[in-house]
Amino acid sequence: MRRRRIARPRRGAATLELILAVPILLIVLVFSIQFGVAAIYQATVVHSATVAAREAGKGIDLEAVADAVNMVLGIHGIEISETTAGAKVILDWYAVPPDPGDPPGEFLLEYGDESLGCGHPDVELDCRQVRVTVCVAPSATNFCGSLCKALKPFGVSFENRMFKASSLVVQEVEQDACTGCGL
């Protein structure tokens, strides 16, 4: 003998599941979008440091390096200049001075927002090495819009963060310019 199953009405169950699941899915969606945008900005800063380092390797020219950085960052509406806030480029290199009596050493040039605390890496440079460091605060970008505010109640804040990248190259120099370095 077969037993018959008695169907119980589930009228409100689907609605209740939807009401509970949709807010969680929306929060996950907002997190995914915001961290995806952060990854795009970080990749852009890394690319700008790489392009600027290649430019600096051709010759130490802070203006050319800043132009190379602005060309890459301009895609996202970010500009490094002395009048805009939140972005900075640091160019440092190790060189032998032209005067034989002077010791070789590191030299440093900075361009951009002076108030931005964006120190260069503590790694010492070797002869003919050039390092470019690019720093961009989220406040200088379109990064922190309404999504940043939406994540704050969940403990995620990008206010005191910084997109930062350094790139290192060997400077292209004449062969006889290497004598002071032992090369």
Side-chain angles (χ1 to χ4, degrees):
M1 189 149 81
R2 287 189 180 174
R3 287 189 176 178
R4 253 193 197 178
R5 217 180 208 192
I6 300 173
R8 294 184 189 165
R10 292 193 66 209
R11 286 192 173 156
T15 306
L16 183 62
E17 289 171 2
L18 183 68
I19 289 172
L20 293 175
V22 167
I24 294 171
L25 291 175
L26 285 176
I27 292 169
V28 170
L29 178 67
V30 169
F31 270 89
S32 299
I33 290 171
Q34 191 64 40
F35 284 106
V37 170
I40 289 170
Y41 275 108
Q42 181 63 36
T44 304
V45 170
V46 168
H47 182 61
S48 70
T50 304
V51 169
R54 281 192 213 126
E55 192 65 37
K58 297 175 190 174
I60 305 298
D61 181 10
L62 184 60
E63 188 175 318
V65 169
D67 287 344
V69 170
N70 281 331
M71 185 179 65
V72 175
L73 293 180
I75 295 168
H76 294 288
I78 305 167
E79 180 186 8
I80 294 181
S81 70
E82 292 186 7
T83 58
T84 57
K88 184 181 203 177
V89 63
I90 301 171
L91 172 64
D92 59 328
W93 70 97
Y94 186 93
V96 176
D99 203 8
D102 293 339
E106 282 193 44
F107 298 90
L108 180 83
L109 293 173
E110 296 183 6
Y111 181 72
D113 186 0
E114 292 179 9
S115 66
L116 197 61
C118 157
H120 62 85
D122 292 334
V123 179
E124 290 186 25
L125 299 175
D126 289 334
C127 186
R128 296 182 8 200
Q129 287 185 332
V130 179
R131 177 176 44 220
V132 174
T133 304
V134 178
C135 301
V136 176
S139 61
T141 68
N142 297 331
F143 174 71
C144 267
S146 58
L147 288 180
C148 275
K149 294 174 187 163
L151 295 176
K152 238 179 184 179
F154 301 102
V156 178
S157 174
F158 291 97
E159 287 178 355
N160 297 325
R161 307 281 183 194
M162 187 178 315
F163 300 110
K164 179 179 175 181
S166 291
S167 189
L168 183 73
V169 295
V170 175
Q171 187 178 5
E172 299 171 9
V173 293
E174 298 288 327
Q175 187 63 28
D176 52 339
C178 297
T179 56
C181 296
L183 297 176

